[in-house]
């Protein structure tokens, strides 16, 4: 086994305490003899949710030797609330201990720079690997097997039950519902996300008429996996965004049948097809759906894009977005999104809740395709609750939008626990209702609006108010500390070490990719753009003292054995948004770990 740097793992501390441990505080000494995988995550981050699912197989297969510890490190203010973390752990089926670290104490101790990040600690308490982003499950599984063999031989491996203690189940008709749609008969169909079902409710929004799906995770005619978005199709059937299955399903309320119409059940990765027969093209965490312009539009949260599905041809294709995460308007093919999670069709535009930029945006037809515009929101790191002119108004991670009859749009302002409204005619943002609990969608019913209160596990009917609610304005920025960098030249190095038994796959050209940009763009005098080298010389412009470096890296590695005719290959990728402050005493090198350890 290759020698590794002997770096002692810092202790695990978090002001919010521990979840899923039966009220027991854990220390690294308690875990000595076990292989520990720290998963630094935050529940707004779709890439973090992908990693939760990637780790499930490892967690089950090595249950007697591996302890996965979730370290919840918040981006948004709402995510620092302890009850919100408790809710998220149940919502996403997290079946391992979680440390609630609202002040990022453990995040800082481990020098983490991105969500998600995985850190592997050996049975003797030393850090042996770090991985940022998605696609590392295979590498970690290989490392775990090596560590099991090494420490079994040394006598330092301790097998047995882990510290996970499941919480007591709670009886409610719905459990963290995601989205809802009104059926032609007047009732509602709701995605009961945590229970992996659809639920049909009567017109009162309370009485359960039937449940669709067994409640088990799966991609069969009787199963879902954390379904979210719903859209009524012209033929009366309902399209379902089966989010963690990376698939589109169609449910027929009349016959009760469920059909898969798009997706392979596998997650889309860079280099995969972006158009073609719908059942042959992979998708990535479809979160919401809307019927507009004679096709089904898909908020593809997992890759920061909009796609479309055309039932007439049975095909899917990318409609907008580059897969880069951020807020950039313009022609659809050049736009940037950040986890689009809500869609609402109006006559002349398609509204979008772009959650990670705390923005409301829209698509409209143009002479040569479509164009993307922003109504509210400025970027990845600014959020809050502020009404008034849209240019200075603030939201906090909205998940839903609802087109209103007067041309305005209602906004499920999820992390502000509020229903907001944007009026294009006046350019104003107002608050319609507060004291909701993580609203994620809303459905218009005559003069009322029915809100999906996800964290209260119910639908709540409100009369659309004629006057706005007054709310004290508050603005926030993500609490991550900025990296101090020296002016002038800055060496950027993305660290990637191929997993044991694998090498970079160069059979068809370069197997790595690096894309660099900045907010504001003027921060970089040189070094922006795409390339294949994971290292690059950047030049910071004179006179710009702060900003955000956006770094996107990808590496593909394959089995390093000439006797294997069809080697298994794995794609590793991560996007970083690194806040920087330019100071004379700052660093001249910025190292970002994709996989391995930064020397």
């Amino acid at each position: 086994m290759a020698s590794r740097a002997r770096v002692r793992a810092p202790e695990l501390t978090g002001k919010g305490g521990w979840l899923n441990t039966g009220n027991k505080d854990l220390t690294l000494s308690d875990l000595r003899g076990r292989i520990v995988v720290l998963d630094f995550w935050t529940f707004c981050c779709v890439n973090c949710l992908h990693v939760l699912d990637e780790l499930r197989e490892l967690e089950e297969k090595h249950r007697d030797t591996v302890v996965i510890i979730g370290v919840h490190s918040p981006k948004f203010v709402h995510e620092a609330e302890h009850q919100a973390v408790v809710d998220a752990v149940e919502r996403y089926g997290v079946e391992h201990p979680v440390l609630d670290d609202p002040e990022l104490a453990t995040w800082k101790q481990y020098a983490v720079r991105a969500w998600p990040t995985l850190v592997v600690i050996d049975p003797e308490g030393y850090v042996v690997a770090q991985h940022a982003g998605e696609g590392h499950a295979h590498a970690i599984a290989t490392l775990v097997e090596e560590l099991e063999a090494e420490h079994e031989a040394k006598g330092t491996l301790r097998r047995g039950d882990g510290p996970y203690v499941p919480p007591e189940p709670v009886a409610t008709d719905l459990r963290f519902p995601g989205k809802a749609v009104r059926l032609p008969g007047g009732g509602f169909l709701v995605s009961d996300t945590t229970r992996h079902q659809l639920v049909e409710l009567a017109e009162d929004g309370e009485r359960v008429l039937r449940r669709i799906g067994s409640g088990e995770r799966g991609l069969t005619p009787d199963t879902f996996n954390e379904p979210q978005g719903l859209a009524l199709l012209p033929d009366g059937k309902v399209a379902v965004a089966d989010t963690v299955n990376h698939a589109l399903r169609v449910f027929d309320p009349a016959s009760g049948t469920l059909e898969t119409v798009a997706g392979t059940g596998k997650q889309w990765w860079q280099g995969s097809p972006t158009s073609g027969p719908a059942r042959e093209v992979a998708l990535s965490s479809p979160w919401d759906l809307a019927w507009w312009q004679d096709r089904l539009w898909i908020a593809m949260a997992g890759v920061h894009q909009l796609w479309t599905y055309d039932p007439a041809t049975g095909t899917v294709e990318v409609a907008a977005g580059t897969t880069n995460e951020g807020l950039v308007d313009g022609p659809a093919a050049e736009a940037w999104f950040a986890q689009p999670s809500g869609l609402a069709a109006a006559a002349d535009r398609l509204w979008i809740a772009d959650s990670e930029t705390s923005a409301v945006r829209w698509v409209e037809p143009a002479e040569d395709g479509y164009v993307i515009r922003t109504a509210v929101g400025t970027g990845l790191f600014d959020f809050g609750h502020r009404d008034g002119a849209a240019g200075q108004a603030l939201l906090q991670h909205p998940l839903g939008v609802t087109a209103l009859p007067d041309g305005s749009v209602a906004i499920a302002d999820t992390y502000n626990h509020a229903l907001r409204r944007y009026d294009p005619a006046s350019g104003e943002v107002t608050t319609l209702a507060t004291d909701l609990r993580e609203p994620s969608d809303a459905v218009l019913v005559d003069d009322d609006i029915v809100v999906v209160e996800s964290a209260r596990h119910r639908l709540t009917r409100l009369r659309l108010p004629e006057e706005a609610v007054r709310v004290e304005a508050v603005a926030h920025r993500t609490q991550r500390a900025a990296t101090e960098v020296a002016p002038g030249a800055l060496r950027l190095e993305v660290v990637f070490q191929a997993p044991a038994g694998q090498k970079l796959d160069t059979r068809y050209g370069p197997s790595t990719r690096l894309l660099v940009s900045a907010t504001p763009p003027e921060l970089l005098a040189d070094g922006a753009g795409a390339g294949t080298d994971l290292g690059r010389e950047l030049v910071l412009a004179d006179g710009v003292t702060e900003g955000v470096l956006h770094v996107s890296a990808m590496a593909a590695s394959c089995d390093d054995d000439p006797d294997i005719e069809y080697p298994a290959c794995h794609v590793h990728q991560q996007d970083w948004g690194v806040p920087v402050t330019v100071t004379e005493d700052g660093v001249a090198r910025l190292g970002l770990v994709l996989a391995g350890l930064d020397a």
Side-chain angles (χ1 to χ4, degrees):
M1 187 176 195
S3 61
R4 300 186 180 89
R6 302 286 283 176
V7 179
R8 177 66 70 178
E11 192 52 81
L12 307 176
T13 59
K15 190 174 181 179
W18 288 88
L19 288 72
N20 285 354
T21 62
N23 297 318
K24 175 181 170 60
D25 291 344
L26 298 181
T27 65
L28 285 177
S29 61
D30 297 329
L31 303 172
R32 197 61 48 80
R34 311 298 289 272
I35 300 162
V36 177
V37 179
L38 302 181
D39 175 17
F40 289 86
W41 70 299
T42 188
F43 63 78
C44 71
C45 162
V46 71
N47 310 92
C48 300
L49 305 185
H50 291 166
V51 168
L52 284 176
D53 290 303
E54 288 178 4
L55 292 175
R56 293 187 199 280
E57 182 178 349
L58 176 77
E59 197 166 23
E60 182 59 36
K61 183 177 180 181
H62 298 275
R63 188 169 293 280
D64 66 332
T65 59
V66 173
V67 176
I68 295 175
I69 301 287
V71 182
H72 189 269
S73 312
K75 171 186 175 181
F76 290 98
V77 168
H78 170 59
E79 293 175 305
E81 297 175 13
H82 182 69
Q83 185 57 48
V85 181
V86 173
D87 289 344
V89 167
E90 180 187 351
R91 181 195 302 266
Y92 297 115
V94 180
E95 295 183 351
H96 50 248
V98 173
L99 175 64
D100 180 10
D101 184 19
E103 297 176 347
L104 304 183
T106 296
W107 164 288
K108 294 170 186 173
Q109 285 293 310
Y110 281 82
V112 175
R113 291 185 181 272
W115 297 279
T117 291
L118 298 169
V119 175
V120 182
I121 302 171
D122 73 11
E124 294 179 281
Y126 291 94
V127 174
V128 292
Q130 182 172 327
H131 302 264
E134 304 177 48
H136 301 293
H138 171 78
I140 291 176
T142 300
L143 177 57
V144 162
E145 290 173 0
E146 291 183 354
L147 290 171
E148 285 177 340
E150 175 187 344
H151 289 273
E152 189 92 79
K154 290 175 65 176
T156 50
L157 184 70
R158 178 168 58 90
R159 296 180 180 270
D161 293 334
Y164 170 65
V165 178
E168 290 293 326
V170 182
T172 53
D173 288 334
L174 301 174
R175 205 69 193 161
F176 297 104
K179 305 286 185 180
V181 67
R182 196 181 187 197
L183 297 172
F188 300 90
L189 192 66
V190 183
S191 55
D192 198 18
T193 304
T194 298
R195 292 202 177 120
H196 317 295
Q197 292 179 317
L198 306 182
V199 176
E200 184 178 350
L201 299 177
E203 197 167 356
D204 62 7
E206 297 181 8
R207 184 163 53 91
V208 175
L209 300 180
R210 61 173 161 169
R211 295 184 178 275
I212 299 95
S214 68
E216 299 295 323
R217 293 181 186 267
L219 184 56
T220 72
D222 190 39
T223 55
F224 297 95
N225 198 343
E226 297 184 25
Q228 288 281 352
L230 305 169
L232 193 64
L233 300 176
D235 61 4
K237 297 178 182 178
V238 179
V240 183
D242 197 358
T243 303
V244 179
N245 275 329
H246 310 293
L248 296 188
R249 322 288 292 278
V250 170
F251 170 66
D252 184 349
S255 66
T257 57
L258 181 66
E259 178 188 7
T260 301
V261 298
T264 63
K266 302 294 184 182
Q267 184 183 341
W268 186 93
W269 289 99
Q270 291 287 350
S272 302
T274 56
S275 63
R279 289 299 309 275
E280 299 174 17
V281 178
L283 310 180
S284 182
S285 294
W287 208 275
D288 202 12
L289 306 168
W291 183 262
W292 187 64
Q293 300 264 313
D294 296 322
R295 59 196 59 205
L296 189 69
W297 287 69
I298 309 163
M300 202 73 77
V303 285
H304 318 299
Q305 290 180 313
L306 304 182
W307 288 39
T308 60
Y309 165 66
D310 185 352
T313 60
T315 58
V316 293
E317 63 180 351
V318 174
T322 65
T323 76
N324 294 319
E325 185 178 15
L327 194 156
V328 176
D329 288 342
E334 301 171 14
W336 291 23
F337 298 95
Q339 286 178 219
S341 301
L343 298 176
D348 59 344
R349 62 181 61 178
L350 179 71
W351 293 105
I352 309 158
D354 201 28
S355 62
E356 278 293 283
T357 53
S358 297
V360 170
R361 308 171 72 184
W362 78 86
V363 187
E364 64 183 20
E367 289 184 8
D368 54 352
Y370 293 97
V371 65
I372 310 302
R373 304 195 188 282
T374 297
V376 185
T378 58
L380 287 165
F381 301 103
D382 296 299
F383 56 92
H385 192 149
R386 181 194 289 152
D387 287 330
Q392 57 85 52
L394 294 173
L395 310 169
Q396 187 179 177
H397 198 79
L399 289 179
V401 280
T402 305
L404 300 179
D406 63 358
S408 66
V409 59
I411 307 158
D413 193 4
T414 309
Y415 289 2
N416 279 328
H417 310 300
L419 189 68
R420 313 282 292 282
R421 175 177 177 261
Y422 166 67
D423 182 1
S426 66
E428 294 284 312
V429 174
T430 53
T431 297
L432 299 178
T434 58
D435 194 31
L436 302 168
R437 186 68 187 171
E438 292 193 17
S440 55
D441 196 17
V443 181
L444 195 64
V445 181
D446 301 323
D447 293 329
D448 295 342
I449 192 163
V450 176
V451 180
V452 180
E453 273 199 277
S454 187
R456 282 201 177 111
H457 321 292
R458 70 187 188 190
L459 303 190
T460 299
R461 186 181 294 258
L462 304 172
R463 179 58 52 94
L464 273 173
E466 296 190 8
E467 293 188 6
V469 176
R470 287 191 171 275
V471 176
E472 184 177 349
V474 59
H476 300 289
R477 292 215 85 201
T478 299
Q479 61 175 314
R480 292 168 57 195
T483 299
E484 294 187 355
V485 296
L490 175 66
R491 175 66 182 171
L492 171 66
E493 293 183 1
V494 174
V495 177
F496 178 75
Q497 297 161 5
Q502 294 211 325
K503 65 177 181 179
L504 289 174
D505 179 24
T506 56
R507 292 171 297 165
Y508 308 108
S511 62
T512 56
R513 186 192 70 164
L514 182 65
L515 178 67
V516 180
S517 62
T519 302
E522 296 77 22
L523 176 66
L524 284 178
D526 193 25
T532 58
D533 192 339
L534 292 181
R536 187 178 301 180
E537 296 293 338
L538 308 180
V539 178
L540 302 174
D542 292 337
V544 183
T545 59
E546 63 178 11
V548 179
L549 290 175
H550 302 283
V551 180
S552 177
M554 184 273 288
S557 61
C558 296
D559 290 338
D560 185 14
D561 186 340
D563 295 330
I564 299 177
E565 185 176 1
Y566 300 106
C569 297
H570 303 273
V571 176
H572 316 263
Q573 66 181 56
Q574 172 62 13
D575 295 334
W576 291 268
V578 183
V580 296
T581 301
V582 181
T583 65
E584 290 295 333
D585 297 330
V587 298
R589 174 187 177 273
L590 178 61
L592 302 175
V593 176
L594 179 60
L597 293 173
D598 188 1

